[in-house]
Amino acid sequence: MKRCEVAIVGAGLAGLCAARALKSMGIDFLLLEARDRLGGRILTSDEHGMPTDDGFDLGPSWFWPMMQPDMADLVSELGLQSFSQNNNGDVIFERMSREGPQRYRPVEQQGKSLRLTGGSAALVRALERDIPADRIRLNTHVSAMALTGEGVEITLKTPDGMAAVVHASKVICALPPRLLEANVTFTPPQEQYTLARWRDTPTWMAPHAKFFAIYNRPFWRDDGLSGTAQSMVGPMVEMHDATLANGKAALFGFIGIGADQRAALGDEALKKACLAQFARIFGAGASEPRSTLLKDWAADPLTATSRDPLATGHLSAEDANSLSGLWGQRLFMAGSETSAIEAGFLAGAVAAAKRAVLAVVSPG
């Protein structure tokens, strides 16, 4: 049986931030991650879909320093570089299929969105450097937690398929509540109100899919277009310039049709429809990319549950960390969805991790 003061379940941004903070305080911890990589929904890939140190963000890609000071402080503290999302040029709006795309001069935005040089995975790489490798367990699936007289007994499946147990005084759950409710059995059981709240908290990105088309150059800029478009025609509902800081050109879009429809259509037909839409909006050159990428988060079992394809609307700002009963002094929520501010966003993960660590180290 492994023992530690604090077990952290989930090695996305929140889990990594929590681990780094505990390390700085000299508190022993284990970071347990079901995936074979760190980062969770932060996933930066090259044009062939392979993880890379400088690529395209298939998950979250933006932050807003004026509105998200915790995130801005973390980026500064880690010494990371950022650049502005390209918004120079006109935007396109597709209102209906029987009329062509309409072009508009955008209103100047307050609080410009930024992207990290190298992609959002730059956060993961920088945080990993501060976490001892022997405190990280990848390919480790947590299946159960049970209270004991001294803490929490955590049952998990290791990379070799064997069952193992970790005993921790306290646990930080740095993953979406809905995943926790769907995959982990608790003894004694969580209260029904808590389980219902977890089930009803939508997981950010879980119902969504992103499509990228990579080009030799950002040709749309030559036509005075920003790369930003909105559509009521589809299949994509929102599009943006995804060109990297190194100049590698790309467009990306959020796909608006539902997860079941995407699955029925198939990846190749969906990619073809997306390219046709890019060509319709940005010109014939958009139909001939050098490569394409499609990431459907609803098809990722470590992100989405059976409830997520039906999810609608935005996350509430409810603080979902507080647990009552016997679990209240042992289990602390740190997934971005549980943050009282910027829930679901990168900034929400940073804030939730700070709150959870503070609760863990506070007396009583």
Side-chain angles (χ1 to χ4, degrees):
M1 180 185 293
K2 300 281 186 182
R3 290 185 177 273
C4 59
E5 289 185 60
V6 181
I8 305 169
V9 182
L13 180 57
L16 291 168
C17 286
R20 180 172 181 262
L22 293 175
K23 170 66 166 53
S24 71
M25 298 174 186
I27 297 174
D28 182 45
F29 66 89
L30 279 176
L31 181 57
L32 309 174
E33 170 56 48
R35 288 183 168 88
D36 60 1
R37 60 174 179 83
L38 301 174
R41 284 164 285 177
I42 294 177
L43 179 57
T44 302
S45 78
D46 64 17
E47 62 183 279
H48 305 295
M50 301 300 294
T52 182
D53 289 344
D54 191 4
F56 304 97
D57 286 321
L58 306 185
S61 55
W62 299 308
F63 70 101
W64 294 263
M66 295 296 292
M67 298 180 287
Q68 300 173 338
D70 284 344
M71 183 66 183
D73 289 346
L74 179 62
V75 169
S76 176
E77 185 180 332
L78 296 174
L80 302 178
Q81 301 298 311
S82 61
F83 64 103
S84 295
Q85 168 67 32
N86 180 65
N87 289 313
N88 296 324
D90 293 347
V91 301
I92 299 293
F93 183 56
E94 278 195 312
R95 188 175 61 178
M96 56 186 69
S97 59
R98 65 174 179 268
E99 69 178 29
Q102 303 297 306
R103 183 168 176 159
Y104 298 93
R105 176 68 60 182
V107 177
E108 187 171 345
Q109 296 179 339
Q110 298 295 320
K112 208 166 189 182
S113 56
L114 299 184
R115 293 160 58 194
L116 289 170
T117 301
S120 295
L123 281 168
V124 178
R125 295 191 301 273
L127 290 166
E128 183 182 8
R129 287 195 288 268
D130 291 335
I131 303 172
D134 65 354
R135 298 291 87 193
I136 299 172
R137 301 287 188 273
L138 298 178
N139 294 301
T140 300
H141 297 252
V142 172
S143 60
M145 296 187 201
L147 287 177
T148 68
E150 299 178 344
V152 183
E153 187 175 278
I154 305 167
T155 303
L156 46 87
K157 184 182 292 185
T158 61
D160 58 8
M162 301 295 289
V165 173
V166 168
H167 190 280
S169 176
K170 297 179 180 179
V171 178
I172 293 176
C173 286
L175 73 168
R178 186 171 278 175
L179 279 177
L180 186 63
E181 188 275 336
N183 295 301
V184 180
T185 301
F186 293 90
T187 305
Q190 296 289 342
E191 294 185 356
Q192 288 302 310
Y193 169 78
T194 297
L195 294 175
R197 184 175 58 189
W198 289 354
R199 284 193 300 269
D200 292 341
T201 301
T203 299
W204 197 246
M205 289 300 298
H208 302 300
K210 295 176 77 172
F211 174 77
F212 289 76
I214 294 89
Y215 300 96
N216 291 324
R217 52 188 301 276
F219 58 87
W220 53 93
R221 297 183 185 180
D222 298 339
D223 295 331
L225 295 174
S226 64
T228 300
Q230 292 185 333
S231 173
M232 299 176 68
V233 179
M236 293 177 286
V237 294
E238 181 182 331
M239 290 144 272
H240 297 277
D241 188 324
T243 302
L244 304 182
N246 64 16
K248 184 169 285 188
L251 294 166
F252 96 87
F254 290 101
I255 297 174
I257 61 176
D260 291 343
Q261 292 174 282
R262 297 195 297 266
L265 190 59
D267 287 356
E268 292 309 310
L270 187 55
K271 290 178 182 179
K272 184 177 180 180
C274 288
L275 284 178
Q277 186 178 14
F278 275 154
R280 195 168 66 235
I281 291 175
F282 297 110
S287 64
E288 299 180 353
R290 54 189 291 166
S291 61
T292 61
L293 298 169
L294 174 64
K295 176 59 178 177
D296 192 333
W297 289 98
D300 184 338
L302 297 178
T303 297
T305 72
S306 59
R307 293 176 176 271
D308 287 299
L310 305 176
T312 58
H314 293 281
L315 298 172
S316 70
E318 177 187 2
D319 184 341
N321 178 62
S322 179
L323 295 178
S324 58
L326 297 173
W327 285 100
Q329 299 301 313
R330 298 294 185 182
L331 185 66
F332 303 88
M333 304 294 284
S336 180
E337 284 78 7
T338 71
S339 176
I341 58 171
E342 303 290 345
F345 291 96
L346 294 173
V350 177
K354 284 185 176 182
R355 182 203 59 209
V357 169
L358 181 61
V360 163
V361 301
S362 294

